[in-house]
Amino acid sequence: MKPYAFGVDVGGTTVKLGLFSQDGTVMDKWEIPTRTQNNGECVLPDIVASIQAKLAEKNIPAQEVEGIGIGVPGPVSSDFTVNKCVNLGWGVFNLKEKMNELLPEIPNVAAGNDANVATLGELWQGGGKGHQSAVMFTLGTGVGGGVVVDGNIVAGANGGAGEVGHMTVEPGETVPCACGKYGCLEQYASANGIVRMGKVMLSRCDKPSALREMETFNAKDICDLARGGEEMALDIVDRFGEYMGRAMSLVACTTDPDIFIIGGGMSRAGDVIMEAMLKYYRKYAFHVSSGTSIAVAQLGNDAGIYGCAKLIFG
Ligand code: ZN
């Protein structure tokens, strides 16, 4: 194994890059803008130019680089064919072949979906360190996720594995999810979802709450009030925990991971939400899986570059 690898996390506005050594140390990390014009044709050449510049700056010959791992915001098949990244303007093409044309000096290229590689990164050097299998729930504007079993990303036959936000947890829901279905986890457990759910709960009861006095409120307001012991806010967080616990118990019945990793902006609320989801996970999980631990993600926006490097180091 050669000593270095690049991890490249391609986002809609910036590309994050990291130069890693084999032990998982990030030796340098930086960003370049994602130029999406002309169907994203500049994105890969820009990445190659940035990698070449970094090798020159560090005086590292390309022969000492084991490979380049790339995370993309869309489905990626096991032969590294990208199947439309709407954010980048990309159609269908083989990412490894394209990179090999642009940078033949580093032929080993691997790719994965960004949420899946972030899960791999958290498992390697973040909240799941020391474990082999994890399911991550990323609670941000929406709810995303990733599945890693025995160190391998599970992408699924259609690239749909890890879409934990679209498990139906409330069949009676009358408001549609962004995906068109009704009652998806994302509708209750994302930062937007908990606010929407909170408003519905407030409208259906008379319990006093500081939330009623606010012109608008966000997920942090709810979690802060719950942490302070406000009964209404605790009710909202409890309901959030019930949906999360139910979803996690369903996941455990299929993949039975070593650990659940909770990432995204909501995870910053810490204990107050972790306790709520753990309470219901313990209640709903099949007995053999009910002791599974739950950790907060630790790598933040760097999880992707770590996971990409891990794709290469294996
Ligand atoms: Zn949905």
Side-chain angles (χ1 to χ4, degrees):
M1 184 80 70
K2 297 165 186 173
Y4 305 111
F6 285 95
V8 181
D9 187 11
V10 185
T13 52
T14 57
V15 180
K16 296 185 176 65
L17 298 100
L19 172 63
F20 288 80
S21 58
Q22 213 179 326
D23 64 0
T25 306
V26 62
M27 301 166 64
D28 197 2
K29 57 175 184 170
W30 67 101
E31 292 182 8
I32 58 173
T34 310
R35 294 196 294 150
T36 55
Q37 65 267 38
N38 299 331
N39 295 323
E41 67 177 17
C42 302
V43 176
L44 292 180
D46 285 353
I47 289 168
V48 167
S50 186
I51 286 174
Q52 285 172 325
K54 188 59 65 178
L55 289 174
E57 176 196 323
K58 300 277 181 189
N59 207 10
I60 296 173
Q63 293 71 28
E64 289 187 22
V65 178
E66 181 65 26
I68 302 168
I70 303 178
V72 298
V76 182
S77 65
S78 55
D79 71 345
F80 311 132
T81 298
V82 175
N83 192 346
K84 292 180 187 164
C85 292
V86 182
N87 292 346
L88 308 178
W90 286 357
V92 180
F93 68 98
N94 188 285
L95 202 141
K96 179 179 165 69
E97 285 171 11
K98 187 75 192 163
M99 283 295 289
N100 285 169
E101 283 170 28
L102 294 166
L103 188 58
E105 298 87 347
I106 306 177
N108 183 11
V109 173
N113 167 266
D114 55 1
N116 287 330
V117 294
T119 306
L120 189 61
E122 284 289 342
L123 202 49
W124 187 33
Q125 294 293 339
K129 194 171 180 176
H131 297 275
Q132 282 300 305
S133 300
V135 175
M136 181 148 133
F137 287 71
T138 305
L139 311 179
T141 318
V143 173
V147 181
V148 175
V149 175
D150 295 334
N152 298 306
I153 287 173
V154 179
N158 305 292
E163 290 290 353
V164 292
H166 300 287
M167 284 188 282
T168 304
V169 293
E170 185 54 86
E173 181 60 69
T174 55
V175 176
C177 176
C179 75
K181 298 197 303 133
Y182 292 81
C184 291
L185 178 66
E186 178 169 298
Q187 292 185 271
Y188 315 95
S190 65
N192 291 337
I194 193 172
V195 169
R196 188 190 68 88
M197 181 175 73
K199 285 176 180 166
V200 171
M201 289 174 72
L202 284 163
S203 73
R204 289 180 182 167
C205 76
D206 301 326
K207 239 178 221 182
S209 173
L211 297 170
R212 296 186 193 277
E213 318 305 322
M214 296 180 188
E215 205 161 302
T216 59
F217 59 85
N218 59 27
K220 183 175 183 297
D221 295 325
I222 297 171
C223 296
D224 286 348
L225 286 167
R227 198 176 300 106
E230 189 199 272
E231 202 178 319
M232 184 69 220
L234 280 167
D235 286 353
I236 298 170
V237 169
D238 190 74
R239 184 80 64 89
F240 155 91
E242 173 144 26
Y243 286 124
M244 277 297 295
R246 194 179 289 172
M248 289 156 66
S249 74
L250 296 173
V251 166
C253 285
T254 55
T255 66
D256 190 16
D258 293 343
I259 190 165
F260 288 102
I261 303 171
I262 310 298
M266 285 284 290
S267 69
R268 286 196 286 270
D271 287 351
V272 70
I273 68 157
M274 298 298 271
E275 282 163 16
M277 60 180 94
L278 201 55
K279 167 182 159 191
Y280 286 99
Y281 176 70
R282 301 279 186 252
K283 176 179 172 186
Y284 291 123
F286 185 58
H287 64 90
V288 298
S289 309
S290 64
T292 305
S293 52
I294 305 179
V296 177
Q298 292 175 1
L299 301 175
N301 291 332
D302 290 343
I305 56 172
Y306 276 89
C308 291
K310 183 61 174 164
L311 283 179
I312 296 301
F313 286 136

